Short mmCIF file of all heavy atoms in Angstrom, two decimals:
data_model
loop_
_atom_site.label_atom_id
_atom_site.label_comp_id
_atom_site.label_asym_id
_atom_site.label_seq_id
_atom_site.Cartn_x
_atom_site.Cartn_y
_atom_site.Cartn_z
N ASP Z 30 12.38 -10.79 -10.35
CA ASP Z 30 12.54 -11.85 -9.37
C ASP Z 30 11.22 -12.12 -8.65
O ASP Z 30 10.40 -11.21 -8.46
CB ASP Z 30 13.61 -11.48 -8.33
CG ASP Z 30 15.00 -11.39 -8.94
OD1 ASP Z 30 15.29 -12.19 -9.85
OD2 ASP Z 30 15.80 -10.54 -8.50
N ILE Z 31 11.02 -13.35 -8.25
CA ILE Z 31 9.79 -13.74 -7.54
C ILE Z 31 10.08 -13.70 -6.04
O ILE Z 31 10.61 -14.65 -5.46
CB ILE Z 31 9.32 -15.14 -7.97
CG1 ILE Z 31 9.11 -15.16 -9.49
CG2 ILE Z 31 8.04 -15.53 -7.25
CD1 ILE Z 31 8.81 -16.52 -10.05
N GLU Z 32 9.74 -12.61 -5.42
CA GLU Z 32 10.03 -12.41 -4.01
C GLU Z 32 9.07 -11.39 -3.42
O GLU Z 32 8.22 -10.83 -4.13
CB GLU Z 32 11.48 -11.94 -3.83
CG GLU Z 32 11.81 -10.69 -4.65
CD GLU Z 32 13.27 -10.33 -4.64
OE1 GLU Z 32 14.12 -11.22 -4.38
OE2 GLU Z 32 13.58 -9.15 -4.90
N GLU Z 33 9.20 -11.12 -2.12
CA GLU Z 33 8.29 -10.22 -1.43
C GLU Z 33 8.29 -8.80 -2.01
O GLU Z 33 7.35 -8.03 -1.82
CB GLU Z 33 8.65 -10.16 0.06
CG GLU Z 33 7.63 -9.44 0.92
CD GLU Z 33 7.99 -9.45 2.39
OE1 GLU Z 33 8.01 -10.55 2.98
OE2 GLU Z 33 8.26 -8.36 2.94
N ARG Z 34 9.34 -8.48 -2.72
CA ARG Z 34 9.43 -7.17 -3.34
C ARG Z 34 8.24 -6.86 -4.25
O ARG Z 34 7.85 -5.71 -4.43
CB ARG Z 34 10.73 -7.13 -4.15
CG ARG Z 34 11.08 -5.81 -4.74
CD ARG Z 34 12.46 -5.89 -5.36
NE ARG Z 34 12.42 -5.32 -6.67
CZ ARG Z 34 13.39 -5.38 -7.55
NH1 ARG Z 34 14.47 -5.98 -7.26
NH2 ARG Z 34 13.28 -4.83 -8.71
N LEU Z 35 7.63 -7.90 -4.84
CA LEU Z 35 6.45 -7.72 -5.68
C LEU Z 35 5.29 -7.14 -4.88
O LEU Z 35 4.56 -6.27 -5.37
CB LEU Z 35 6.05 -9.05 -6.31
CG LEU Z 35 7.06 -9.69 -7.26
CD1 LEU Z 35 6.64 -11.13 -7.58
CD2 LEU Z 35 7.19 -8.88 -8.55
N ILE Z 36 5.11 -7.63 -3.66
CA ILE Z 36 4.07 -7.12 -2.78
C ILE Z 36 4.35 -5.67 -2.40
O ILE Z 36 3.47 -4.81 -2.43
CB ILE Z 36 3.96 -7.98 -1.51
CG1 ILE Z 36 3.74 -9.45 -1.86
CG2 ILE Z 36 2.84 -7.46 -0.61
CD1 ILE Z 36 2.41 -9.80 -2.36
N ARG Z 37 5.60 -5.41 -2.04
CA ARG Z 37 5.99 -4.06 -1.64
C ARG Z 37 5.88 -3.08 -2.79
O ARG Z 37 5.58 -1.91 -2.60
CB ARG Z 37 7.40 -4.08 -1.05
CG ARG Z 37 7.48 -4.92 0.24
CD ARG Z 37 8.85 -4.89 0.88
NE ARG Z 37 8.80 -5.58 2.16
CZ ARG Z 37 8.41 -5.05 3.30
NH1 ARG Z 37 8.08 -3.77 3.35
NH2 ARG Z 37 8.36 -5.75 4.41
N GLY Z 38 6.13 -3.56 -4.01
CA GLY Z 38 5.95 -2.72 -5.18
C GLY Z 38 4.50 -2.31 -5.37
O GLY Z 38 4.20 -1.18 -5.78
N PHE Z 39 3.58 -3.21 -5.06
CA PHE Z 39 2.16 -2.91 -5.12
C PHE Z 39 1.81 -1.78 -4.16
O PHE Z 39 1.07 -0.85 -4.50
CB PHE Z 39 1.35 -4.17 -4.80
CG PHE Z 39 -0.14 -4.00 -4.95
CD1 PHE Z 39 -0.78 -4.37 -6.11
CD2 PHE Z 39 -0.91 -3.49 -3.90
CE1 PHE Z 39 -2.16 -4.23 -6.25
CE2 PHE Z 39 -2.28 -3.34 -4.03
CZ PHE Z 39 -2.91 -3.71 -5.20
N VAL Z 40 2.35 -1.86 -2.93
CA VAL Z 40 2.07 -0.82 -1.93
C VAL Z 40 2.64 0.52 -2.36
O VAL Z 40 2.02 1.57 -2.20
CB VAL Z 40 2.63 -1.23 -0.54
CG1 VAL Z 40 2.25 -0.17 0.50
CG2 VAL Z 40 2.09 -2.59 -0.12
N ARG Z 41 3.83 0.49 -2.95
CA ARG Z 41 4.42 1.74 -3.44
C ARG Z 41 3.58 2.33 -4.57
O ARG Z 41 3.46 3.55 -4.71
CB ARG Z 41 5.86 1.51 -3.88
CG ARG Z 41 6.85 1.42 -2.71
CD ARG Z 41 8.28 1.42 -3.19
NE ARG Z 41 8.65 0.15 -3.77
CZ ARG Z 41 9.13 -0.88 -3.09
NH1 ARG Z 41 9.31 -0.78 -1.79
NH2 ARG Z 41 9.44 -2.00 -3.68
N ASN Z 42 2.98 1.47 -5.37
CA ASN Z 42 2.08 1.95 -6.41
C ASN Z 42 0.83 2.60 -5.81
O ASN Z 42 0.27 3.54 -6.39
CB ASN Z 42 1.68 0.80 -7.33
CG ASN Z 42 2.71 0.51 -8.40
OD1 ASN Z 42 3.43 1.40 -8.83
ND2 ASN Z 42 2.80 -0.75 -8.83
N ILE Z 43 0.39 2.11 -4.66
CA ILE Z 43 -0.73 2.75 -3.96
C ILE Z 43 -0.33 4.16 -3.56
O ILE Z 43 -1.08 5.12 -3.77
CB ILE Z 43 -1.14 1.94 -2.71
CG1 ILE Z 43 -1.72 0.58 -3.11
CG2 ILE Z 43 -2.16 2.73 -1.89
CD1 ILE Z 43 -2.07 -0.29 -1.91
N ILE Z 44 0.86 4.30 -2.99
CA ILE Z 44 1.36 5.61 -2.55
C ILE Z 44 1.45 6.57 -3.72
O ILE Z 44 1.10 7.75 -3.60
CB ILE Z 44 2.74 5.45 -1.87
CG1 ILE Z 44 2.62 4.61 -0.60
CG2 ILE Z 44 3.33 6.82 -1.55
CD1 ILE Z 44 3.95 4.26 0.03
N ASP Z 45 1.89 6.06 -4.88
CA ASP Z 45 2.06 6.91 -6.06
C ASP Z 45 0.76 7.16 -6.81
O ASP Z 45 0.75 7.87 -7.82
CB ASP Z 45 3.08 6.28 -7.01
CG ASP Z 45 4.47 6.21 -6.42
OD1 ASP Z 45 4.76 7.02 -5.51
OD2 ASP Z 45 5.27 5.35 -6.84
N GLY Z 46 -0.34 6.58 -6.32
CA GLY Z 46 -1.64 6.80 -6.96
C GLY Z 46 -1.88 5.99 -8.22
O GLY Z 46 -2.71 6.36 -9.05
N ASN Z 47 -1.17 4.86 -8.37
CA ASN Z 47 -1.27 4.05 -9.58
C ASN Z 47 -2.19 2.84 -9.43
O ASN Z 47 -2.29 2.03 -10.35
CB ASN Z 47 0.13 3.57 -9.99
CG ASN Z 47 1.08 4.71 -10.27
OD1 ASN Z 47 0.70 5.73 -10.86
ND2 ASN Z 47 2.33 4.59 -9.83
N ILE Z 48 -2.84 2.71 -8.29
CA ILE Z 48 -3.76 1.60 -8.03
C ILE Z 48 -5.18 2.14 -7.91
O ILE Z 48 -5.43 3.07 -7.13
CB ILE Z 48 -3.39 0.84 -6.75
CG1 ILE Z 48 -1.96 0.29 -6.84
CG2 ILE Z 48 -4.39 -0.29 -6.49
CD1 ILE Z 48 -1.76 -0.74 -7.91
N VAL Z 49 -6.10 1.58 -8.68
CA VAL Z 49 -7.49 2.04 -8.62
C VAL Z 49 -8.09 1.69 -7.26
O VAL Z 49 -7.76 0.67 -6.65
CB VAL Z 49 -8.34 1.41 -9.75
CG1 VAL Z 49 -7.87 1.89 -11.09
CG2 VAL Z 49 -8.32 -0.11 -9.69
N GLU Z 50 -8.98 2.54 -6.79
CA GLU Z 50 -9.52 2.39 -5.45
C GLU Z 50 -10.31 1.10 -5.25
O GLU Z 50 -10.40 0.59 -4.13
CB GLU Z 50 -10.40 3.60 -5.11
CG GLU Z 50 -9.61 4.91 -4.99
CD GLU Z 50 -10.49 6.07 -4.57
OE1 GLU Z 50 -11.67 5.81 -4.25
OE2 GLU Z 50 -10.00 7.21 -4.57
N SER Z 51 -10.90 0.56 -6.32
CA SER Z 51 -11.68 -0.66 -6.19
C SER Z 51 -10.85 -1.83 -5.69
O SER Z 51 -11.38 -2.76 -5.08
CB SER Z 51 -12.33 -1.02 -7.53
OG SER Z 51 -11.35 -1.21 -8.53
N LEU Z 52 -9.53 -1.79 -5.93
CA LEU Z 52 -8.65 -2.86 -5.46
C LEU Z 52 -8.46 -2.83 -3.95
O LEU Z 52 -8.18 -3.86 -3.34
CB LEU Z 52 -7.29 -2.78 -6.15
CG LEU Z 52 -7.18 -3.39 -7.54
CD1 LEU Z 52 -5.78 -3.24 -8.09
CD2 LEU Z 52 -7.56 -4.85 -7.52
N TYR Z 53 -8.59 -1.64 -3.35
CA TYR Z 53 -8.42 -1.54 -1.89
C TYR Z 53 -9.42 -2.45 -1.20
O TYR Z 53 -9.07 -3.27 -0.34
CB TYR Z 53 -8.63 -0.11 -1.39
CG TYR Z 53 -7.72 0.93 -1.99
CD1 TYR Z 53 -8.03 2.28 -1.89
CD2 TYR Z 53 -6.57 0.59 -2.67
CE1 TYR Z 53 -7.23 3.25 -2.42
CE2 TYR Z 53 -5.75 1.56 -3.23
CZ TYR Z 53 -6.08 2.91 -3.10
OH TYR Z 53 -5.29 3.87 -3.64
N SER Z 54 -10.69 -2.29 -1.55
CA SER Z 54 -11.74 -3.07 -0.92
C SER Z 54 -11.64 -4.54 -1.29
O SER Z 54 -11.98 -5.41 -0.48
CB SER Z 54 -13.12 -2.52 -1.31
OG SER Z 54 -13.30 -2.53 -2.72
N TRP Z 55 -11.22 -4.84 -2.51
CA TRP Z 55 -11.10 -6.23 -2.93
C TRP Z 55 -10.09 -6.98 -2.07
O TRP Z 55 -10.32 -8.12 -1.67
CB TRP Z 55 -10.69 -6.30 -4.40
CG TRP Z 55 -10.92 -7.68 -4.97
CD1 TRP Z 55 -10.13 -8.77 -4.83
CD2 TRP Z 55 -12.06 -8.10 -5.71
NE1 TRP Z 55 -10.70 -9.85 -5.46
CE2 TRP Z 55 -11.88 -9.47 -6.01
CE3 TRP Z 55 -13.19 -7.46 -6.18
CZ2 TRP Z 55 -12.80 -10.21 -6.74
CZ3 TRP Z 55 -14.12 -8.20 -6.90
CH2 TRP Z 55 -13.92 -9.56 -7.18
N HIS Z 56 -8.99 -6.33 -1.75
CA HIS Z 56 -7.97 -6.93 -0.90
C HIS Z 56 -8.21 -6.68 0.59
O HIS Z 56 -7.39 -7.09 1.42
CB HIS Z 56 -6.58 -6.41 -1.29
CG HIS Z 56 -6.09 -6.91 -2.62
ND1 HIS Z 56 -5.91 -8.24 -2.89
CD2 HIS Z 56 -5.74 -6.25 -3.75
CE1 HIS Z 56 -5.46 -8.39 -4.13
NE2 HIS Z 56 -5.35 -7.19 -4.67
N LYS Z 57 -9.32 -6.01 0.90
CA LYS Z 57 -9.71 -5.73 2.28
C LYS Z 57 -8.64 -4.94 3.04
O LYS Z 57 -8.33 -5.21 4.20
CB LYS Z 57 -10.04 -7.03 3.02
CG LYS Z 57 -11.22 -7.78 2.42
CD LYS Z 57 -11.55 -9.04 3.19
CE LYS Z 57 -12.75 -9.76 2.55
NZ LYS Z 57 -13.09 -10.99 3.27
N ILE Z 58 -8.08 -3.96 2.32
CA ILE Z 58 -7.14 -3.03 2.94
C ILE Z 58 -7.92 -1.92 3.61
O ILE Z 58 -8.80 -1.32 3.00
CB ILE Z 58 -6.18 -2.45 1.89
CG1 ILE Z 58 -5.40 -3.57 1.19
CG2 ILE Z 58 -5.22 -1.46 2.53
CD1 ILE Z 58 -4.58 -3.10 0.00
N SER Z 59 -7.63 -1.65 4.86
CA SER Z 59 -8.41 -0.67 5.61
C SER Z 59 -8.15 0.74 5.10
O SER Z 59 -7.04 1.07 4.66
CB SER Z 59 -8.09 -0.76 7.10
OG SER Z 59 -6.79 -0.27 7.37
N SER Z 60 -9.18 1.57 5.17
CA SER Z 60 -9.03 2.97 4.76
C SER Z 60 -8.06 3.70 5.68
O SER Z 60 -7.37 4.64 5.26
CB SER Z 60 -10.40 3.66 4.77
OG SER Z 60 -11.02 3.54 6.04
N GLU Z 61 -8.00 3.25 6.93
CA GLU Z 61 -7.07 3.86 7.89
C GLU Z 61 -5.63 3.67 7.45
O GLU Z 61 -4.82 4.61 7.49
CB GLU Z 61 -7.28 3.26 9.28
CG GLU Z 61 -6.38 3.88 10.35
CD GLU Z 61 -6.58 3.26 11.71
OE1 GLU Z 61 -7.40 2.32 11.84
OE2 GLU Z 61 -5.89 3.70 12.67
N ASP Z 62 -5.28 2.44 7.03
CA ASP Z 62 -3.92 2.18 6.56
C ASP Z 62 -3.61 2.97 5.29
O ASP Z 62 -2.49 3.45 5.11
CB ASP Z 62 -3.73 0.68 6.31
CG ASP Z 62 -3.47 -0.10 7.59
OD1 ASP Z 62 -2.99 0.51 8.57
OD2 ASP Z 62 -3.75 -1.32 7.61
N ILE Z 63 -4.59 3.07 4.40
CA ILE Z 63 -4.40 3.86 3.17
C ILE Z 63 -4.08 5.31 3.51
O ILE Z 63 -3.16 5.91 2.95
CB ILE Z 63 -5.64 3.79 2.26
CG1 ILE Z 63 -5.84 2.38 1.72
CG2 ILE Z 63 -5.53 4.79 1.11
CD1 ILE Z 63 -4.79 1.92 0.75
N ASN Z 64 -4.83 5.87 4.43
CA ASN Z 64 -4.62 7.26 4.84
C ASN Z 64 -3.29 7.46 5.55
O ASN Z 64 -2.64 8.50 5.41
CB ASN Z 64 -5.76 7.73 5.75
CG ASN Z 64 -7.09 7.80 5.02
OD1 ASN Z 64 -7.14 8.04 3.81
ND2 ASN Z 64 -8.18 7.59 5.76
N ASN Z 65 -2.87 6.43 6.30
CA ASN Z 65 -1.64 6.55 7.09
C ASN Z 65 -0.37 6.34 6.26
O ASN Z 65 0.73 6.62 6.73
CB ASN Z 65 -1.65 5.56 8.25
CG ASN Z 65 -2.60 5.98 9.36
OD1 ASN Z 65 -2.92 7.16 9.50
ND2 ASN Z 65 -3.05 5.01 10.15
N LEU Z 66 -0.51 5.81 5.03
CA LEU Z 66 0.65 5.55 4.20
C LEU Z 66 1.49 6.80 3.96
O LEU Z 66 2.72 6.73 3.87
CB LEU Z 66 0.23 4.96 2.85
CG LEU Z 66 0.08 3.45 2.76
CD1 LEU Z 66 -0.42 3.06 1.38
CD2 LEU Z 66 1.39 2.73 3.06
N THR Z 67 0.83 7.92 3.83
CA THR Z 67 1.53 9.17 3.54
C THR Z 67 1.60 10.09 4.75
O THR Z 67 1.83 11.29 4.62
CB THR Z 67 0.83 9.90 2.38
OG1 THR Z 67 -0.55 10.09 2.69
CG2 THR Z 67 0.96 9.09 1.09
N ASN Z 68 1.40 9.53 5.92
CA ASN Z 68 1.46 10.32 7.15
C ASN Z 68 2.87 10.89 7.33
O ASN Z 68 3.87 10.24 7.04
CB ASN Z 68 1.07 9.47 8.35
CG ASN Z 68 0.75 10.30 9.58
OD1 ASN Z 68 1.64 10.94 10.16
ND2 ASN Z 68 -0.52 10.28 9.99
N SER Z 69 2.94 12.11 7.82
CA SER Z 69 4.24 12.76 8.03
C SER Z 69 5.06 12.07 9.11
O SER Z 69 6.29 12.15 9.13
CB SER Z 69 4.03 14.24 8.39
OG SER Z 69 3.22 14.37 9.55
N ASP Z 70 4.35 11.38 10.02
CA ASP Z 70 5.02 10.60 11.05
C ASP Z 70 5.54 9.31 10.40
O ASP Z 70 4.76 8.44 9.99
CB ASP Z 70 4.06 10.27 12.19
CG ASP Z 70 4.76 9.64 13.39
OD1 ASP Z 70 5.61 8.76 13.19
OD2 ASP Z 70 4.43 10.03 14.54
N LYS Z 71 6.84 9.16 10.31
CA LYS Z 71 7.44 8.03 9.62
C LYS Z 71 7.08 6.69 10.25
O LYS Z 71 6.93 5.68 9.57
CB LYS Z 71 8.97 8.19 9.57
CG LYS Z 71 9.43 9.33 8.67
CD LYS Z 71 10.95 9.37 8.57
CE LYS Z 71 11.40 10.49 7.62
NZ LYS Z 71 12.88 10.54 7.51
N GLU Z 72 6.93 6.67 11.58
CA GLU Z 72 6.59 5.43 12.26
C GLU Z 72 5.18 4.97 11.89
O GLU Z 72 4.93 3.78 11.66
CB GLU Z 72 6.71 5.61 13.77
CG GLU Z 72 6.59 4.32 14.59
CD GLU Z 72 7.75 3.37 14.34
OE1 GLU Z 72 8.86 3.84 13.94
OE2 GLU Z 72 7.55 2.15 14.50
N ILE Z 73 4.26 5.93 11.84
CA ILE Z 73 2.87 5.61 11.47
C ILE Z 73 2.81 5.10 10.02
O ILE Z 73 2.14 4.11 9.73
CB ILE Z 73 1.97 6.85 11.65
CG1 ILE Z 73 1.84 7.19 13.13
CG2 ILE Z 73 0.58 6.59 11.04
CD1 ILE Z 73 1.06 8.46 13.40
N SER Z 74 3.50 5.78 9.10
CA SER Z 74 3.48 5.38 7.69
C SER Z 74 4.16 4.02 7.51
O SER Z 74 3.69 3.19 6.70
CB SER Z 74 4.18 6.44 6.83
OG SER Z 74 5.49 6.52 7.04
N LYS Z 75 5.22 3.75 8.26
CA LYS Z 75 5.91 2.47 8.18
C LYS Z 75 5.00 1.33 8.65
O LYS Z 75 4.93 0.28 8.02
CB LYS Z 75 7.18 2.50 9.02
CG LYS Z 75 7.98 1.20 8.98
CD LYS Z 75 9.23 1.28 9.84
CE LYS Z 75 9.99 -0.03 9.84
NZ LYS Z 75 11.20 0.04 10.70
#
């Protein structure tokens, strides 16, 4: 389906380590957000 889920799937692929790091900078995703994705604090990761 063509919906926001495609974007969210990309982020989940980041969490699972399936996205090469060069894409982070290309999309201008901050290193802070990348680091916080797997934070034990659920609010921070969310």
